[in-house]
Amino acid sequence: MIKKIIDLRSDTVTKPSPEMREQMISAEVGDDVFEEDPNINLLQKKVAGLLGMESGLYVPSGTMSNQLAIKTHTQPGQEIICDKNCHIYNYEGGGISFLSGCQVNPLIGENGIIKVKEIEDAIRPDDIHAPPTSLIALENTHNRAGGRIFPLEEIKKIRILSIKRKIPLHLDGARLFNASVATGIPISEYGKYFDSVSICFSKGLGAPVGSVLSGGKEFIKKARHYRKVFGGGMRQAGILASACLFALENNVKRLKEDHDNATLLAQEIKDLSGLYIDLKQVETNILMIYVRHSKYTSNSLVEKLHEEGVASLAIDNQRIRVVTHLNISRDDIIQTANIFKKILG
Ligand SMILES: *Cc1c(COP(=O)(O)O)cnc(C)c1O
């Protein structure tokens, strides 16, 4: 018998449920390049509406969504301010320079949180020697910081600065629903403070494909042109968008279970020798485990866990990342904790 692997590498590994597939099979479709796909039109409208924004654009991935936002907000030769550990800078293949011809001014945030004061200091002067600062980008929740929530109070201050200095503010909200469910702050409240927001449906929400970029009407019109240029103009993709609509209806509230499971695992294994976990930092569905063991490194512990039936990721030489999601039950978490105990106990 093949042993079942408890896959905690990422919340992108979720598979569409039978009910979701049912909805996809019966989806009415049209050509979305002609803006004639009913499910895509509905999804775009719903997501933009939730954020309190004018328009939305369905795209194949979160990477495309962020990169389209960057392309639309900037001109080549300009500069973007973001946290050094953010996704757009680390995990999008160098897209900022490749696709938009911009450079990055990466700030060293604390757990992914960059403060208004540091951002203000990083904005370039109006001087021919300097690259014009043309975008500020935040990430909520913050992936590499372990699913940390960006505090709303800081976002409000950054928004005031962005308006004052006329620099647009973009949110990589791949997991914004996780932040919203964990804090009780509605998506619309977060949406108020940004010029553009990207949300992923292929993470904890459990859809197979797709993200939505939202913003003002003119912004999205321009982004739609770039989406075609980037090769992201899809045709009868409403089959996919219908899965996202299903996820919006059915998979948002349940994110709390994922958060509870991440905390449960953290509590169960935090006292094992050779591990360090800061419980306060487990705010959503991502758990960062520091490995400080005489025998194991993060890489060798990941290998050992895999032999025992748990898949995880070594994020760097010290940390293992574990992500809970809708295909992981409480029983899987207990079993995972037992495997950790067996290896390290
Ligand atoms: C997953 C993720 C994305 C999108 O990545 P894709 O691989 O394109 O789906 C963007 N931002 C963050 C913070 C993410 O975690």
Side-chain angles (χ1 to χ4, degrees), residues 11-12 60-64 66 86-88 91-92 139-143 172-175 198 200 202-203 211 321:
D11 46 9
T12 55
S61 71
T63 297
M64 189 184 282
N66 284 327
C86 72
H87 197 278
I88 59 167
Y91 296 126
E92 300 189 3
E139 186 173 314
N140 194 15
T141 66
H142 197 291
N143 181 342
D172 177 356
R175 296 186 181 81
S198 167
C200 288
S202 56
K203 301 268 163 87
S211 292
R321 191 188 76 169

Side-chain angles (χ1 to χ4, degrees), residues 42 137 181:
L42 180 60
V181 166

Side-chain angles (χ1 to χ4, degrees), residues 37 83 115 169:
D37 188 290
D83 165 61
K115 299 261 173 72
L169 187 57

Side-chain angles (χ1 to χ4, degrees), residues 195-209:
D195 296 288
S196 55
V197 177
S198 167
I199 289 181
C200 288
F201 286 86
S202 56
K203 301 268 163 87
L205 293 178
V209 178

Side-chain angles (χ1 to χ4, degrees), residues 58-272:
Y58 185 60
V59 296
S61 71
T63 297
M64 189 184 282
S65 186
N66 284 327
Q67 293 300 325
L68 278 177
I70 292 164
K71 183 75 188 165
T72 308
H73 283 304
T74 64
Q75 293 294 325
Q78 296 182 334
E79 189 169 78
I80 296 166
I81 295 174
C82 60
D83 165 61
K84 186 170 183 284
N85 281 305
C86 72
H87 197 278
I88 59 167
Y89 182 52
N90 290 277
Y91 296 126
E92 300 189 3
I96 294 172
S97 59
F98 193 100
L99 300 164
S100 296
C102 287
Q103 65 183 39
V104 173
N105 188 345
L107 306 185
I108 300 176
E110 200 182 327
N111 296 315
I113 310 307
I114 49 177
K115 299 261 173 72
V116 66
K117 174 79 175 65
E118 299 150 10
I119 296 172
E120 185 160 27
D121 290 347
I123 295 174
R124 302 285 188 169
D126 184 9
D127 177 323
I128 58 159
H129 297 87
T133 304
S134 61
L135 183 65
I136 302 165
L138 309 181
E139 186 173 314
N140 194 15
T141 66
H142 197 291
N143 181 342
R144 230 175 120 80
R148 296 306 297 276
I149 296 163
F150 210 106
L152 188 64
E153 288 315 306
E154 200 62 34
I155 293 174
K156 288 180 183 173
K157 290 182 203 161
I158 295 169
R159 182 53 173 171
I160 291 168
L161 175 70
S162 120
I163 290 171
K164 191 172 105 195
R165 302 297 294 266
K166 297 192 174 62
I167 301 169
L169 187 57
H170 172 70
L171 177 63
D172 177 356
R175 296 186 181 81
L176 187 61
F177 278 101
N178 291 84
S180 172
V181 166
T183 57
I185 297 168
I187 295 285
S188 59
E189 177 62 17
Y190 284 117
K192 273 187 200 166
Y193 305 103
F194 293 91
D195 296 288
S196 55
V197 177
S198 167
I199 289 181
C200 288
F201 286 86
S202 56
K203 301 268 163 87
L205 293 178
V209 178
S211 292
V212 173
L213 176 64
S214 298
K217 202 164 163 235
E218 286 307 310
F219 171 85
I220 291 296
K221 188 174 168 208
K222 211 168 149 193
R224 186 183 294 280
H225 167 68
Y226 289 130
R227 184 184 71 171
K228 193 79 185 79
V229 176
F230 286 6
M234 299 184 286
R235 302 297 177 173
Q236 287 73 27
I239 283 187
L240 302 171
S242 71
C244 303
L245 286 165
F246 181 91
L248 266 186
E249 284 298 317
N250 299 284
N251 294 345
V252 173
K253 277 202 200 108
R254 64 150 307 285
L255 290 171
K256 182 171 187 312
E257 290 171 38
D258 300 342
H259 302 169
D260 291 346
N261 279 338
T263 300
L264 174 63
L265 182 60
Q267 282 164 344
E268 285 290 316
I269 65 174
K270 74 173 177 15
D271 294 326
L272 289 173

